[in-house]
Amino acid sequence: MSSTGQLRHTALDALHRSLGATMTDFAGWDMPLRYGSERDEHTAVRTRAGLFDLSHMGEITVTGPQAAALLDYALVGNIGGVKPGRARYTMICRADGGILDDLIVYRLGETEYMVVANASNAQVVLDALTERAAGFDAEVRDDRDAYALIAVQGPESPGILKSLTDADLDGLKYYAGLPGTVAGVPALIARTGYTGEDGFELFVKPEHAVELWQALTKAGEGAGLVPCGLSCRDTLRLEAGMPLYGHELTTSLTPFDAGLGRVVKFDKEGDFVGREALREAAARAEQNPPRVLVGLVAEGRRVPRAGYAVVAGGEVIGEVTSGAPSPTLGKPIAMAYVDAAHAAPGTPGVGVDIRGSHEPYEVVALPFYKRQK
């Protein structure tokens, strides 16, 4: 929300409305939920290409001689070890180890980083980084209004983007970014995404967003590119087994509880916020495994939702964190935290309590969907 309590609008707001988008309040932003059929948008990303407005994400720039040292202290990952032009998935935790947000950090230069936070947590992350910067020769800058973010995702996305840029896309690895020009617009071109497909996220000035969106739309006409809303973004990330803050990740969970202990780097130099609590969490997880994040595939047609109980033998053994119909699998799917004893793929007798009825579900390993390289 803006300071006046009004929904915030991206630079593409009028364009979304002209395309007939159904809009929704998402983390204080008025965002496109869908333009037509969610299933068609989802399928377009899996088989061709989709275009997303992600300008609600929170960009925070960290600069200065001790920028790397600050981020190594503030976040759980080894950020100083990220080479210029590369990006890293990491988390920011509280002193007690609880997850404040999951992040992508781009190293833009020797002493310049861009931290991208989830829209719902951008202010929390900004405040935490600002507070943790005390004593470091580094500046934390709120750049949320400095960027619009457009993503093109799907198997046709490299070809579409190549037609608009002379940047070396073939040499651009997954989780890397390079400055370039797309359709005449200066952009940071990042090979990242939240769909399970190959694709790119383009950080540009807000005043260039409409021009870039229109150029991508035109370039993608022959490749079946369609505009996509947040609804299919959610089913795409769910199929790809990617966590969503507020669902699979919360302040009541540590990265070890979430099965993402690998992002915590105890071997980096110096202290970092949450180190002691996270060491204890790691030891606890080893001795007494916490609930495990698993995939569930429905045998019937009923869709599980976040908060529904997972059951076995009349006992509650876990809880659904995300659930939706899967257009790719053609069945309802869910992610859930379940007791370790019931987490192995194929564990018999597992169900979800959907309004008092125990619906049978198959336990599977995540992700549900993995693209062919």
Side-chain angles (χ1 to χ4, degrees):
M1 291 279 178
S2 68
S3 53
T4 59
Q6 299 291 310
L7 285 180
R8 299 182 69 179
H9 296 96
T10 77
L12 293 159
D13 183 72
L15 195 147
H16 297 316
R17 292 170 196 280
S18 75
L19 292 170
T22 300
M23 306 297 285
T24 189
D25 173 359
F26 186 84
W29 290 82
D30 206 11
M31 297 296 293
L33 186 64
R34 70 182 77 81
Y35 298 85
S37 152
E38 295 162 13
R39 177 179 289 271
D40 289 350
E41 291 171 24
H42 180 112
T43 303
V45 175
R46 285 277 177 260
T47 60
R48 302 184 306 278
L51 195 55
F52 296 84
D53 178 8
L54 306 180
S55 302
H56 59 311
M57 300 295 280
E59 295 88 4
I60 301 161
T61 304
V62 180
T63 57
Q66 290 189 300
L70 162 58
L71 290 171
D72 276 339
Y73 169 71
L75 312 180
V76 301
N78 179 0
I79 308 304
V82 178
K83 291 183 169 59
R86 296 308 301 265
R88 182 154 297 168
Y89 176 78
T90 187
M91 293 182 184
I92 183 167
C93 290
R94 302 191 305 197
D96 67 0
I99 302 166
L100 283 172
D101 201 14
D102 62 334
L103 312 163
I104 295 180
V105 180
Y106 297 90
R107 187 168 192 170
L108 303 181
E110 204 53 49
T111 59
E112 184 178 6
Y113 295 80
M114 182 167 66
V115 177
V116 181
N118 285 297
S120 54
N121 294 328
Q123 191 63 48
V124 169
V125 174
L126 177 67
D127 292 346
L129 286 175
T130 303
E131 187 184 315
R132 294 173 190 188
F136 288 93
D137 186 5
E139 181 199 348
V140 176
R141 189 171 72 234
D142 180 0
D143 267 349
R144 283 176 287 180
D145 293 335
Y147 291 102
L149 178 55
I150 295 173
V152 54
Q153 298 278 303
E156 298 290 344
S157 58
I160 293 167
L161 201 55
K162 272 180 193 174
S163 71
L164 296 173
T165 184
D166 56 7
D168 178 17
L169 298 187
D170 291 335
L172 187 64
K173 294 186 172 75
Y174 187 49
Y175 267 71
L178 85 172
T181 304
V182 182
V185 170
L188 171 66
I189 305 167
R191 201 164 206 153
T192 42
Y194 194 50
T195 61
E197 297 299 335
D198 191 10
F200 303 87
E201 295 182 321
L202 308 171
F203 296 85
V204 298
K205 287 183 176 174
E207 57 265 33
H208 294 146
V210 170
E211 177 189 346
L212 180 58
W213 180 282
Q214 289 172 334
L216 286 162
T217 299
K218 194 165 181 348
E221 275 173 2
L225 175 87
V226 300
C228 293
L230 294 182
S231 187
C232 84
R233 180 172 153 87
D234 191 48
T235 52
L236 288 159
R237 71 92 196 167
L238 176 55
E239 286 184 352
M242 293 176 167
L244 174 63
Y245 196 88
H247 290 256
E248 288 73 38
L249 308 173
T250 68
T251 49
S252 63
L253 296 172
T254 72
F256 294 95
D257 297 321
L260 290 165
R262 65 181 181 275
V263 306
V264 181
K265 303 300 181 190
F266 292 117
D267 57 354
K268 64 179 174 176
E269 282 181 31
D271 195 17
F272 63 90
V273 177
R275 181 192 274 273
E276 267 323 296
L278 288 168
R279 270 217 186 282
E280 289 167 20
R284 257 197 326 271
E286 211 159 288
Q287 290 162 4
N288 183 19
R291 283 185 164 176
V292 179
L293 189 64
V294 300
L296 298 174
V297 177
E299 292 179 22
R301 308 304 306 167
R302 298 186 74 183
V303 178
R305 298 296 182 193
Y308 285 12
V310 182
V311 293
E315 300 288 314
V316 174
I317 58 154
E319 186 176 300
V320 171
T321 53
S322 296
S326 163
T328 305
L329 276 66
K331 297 175 180 179
I333 59 171
M335 286 200 277
Y337 282 111
V338 302
D339 294 343
H342 297 273
T347 299
V350 173
V352 175
D353 185 340
I354 300 182
R355 298 190 187 90
S357 168
H358 289 190
E359 300 289 329
Y361 273 75
E362 182 190 356
V363 180
V364 299
L366 292 169
F368 300 97
Y369 167 84
K370 211 167 194 172
R371 71 183 170 95
Q372 303 301 309
K373 299 287 183 197

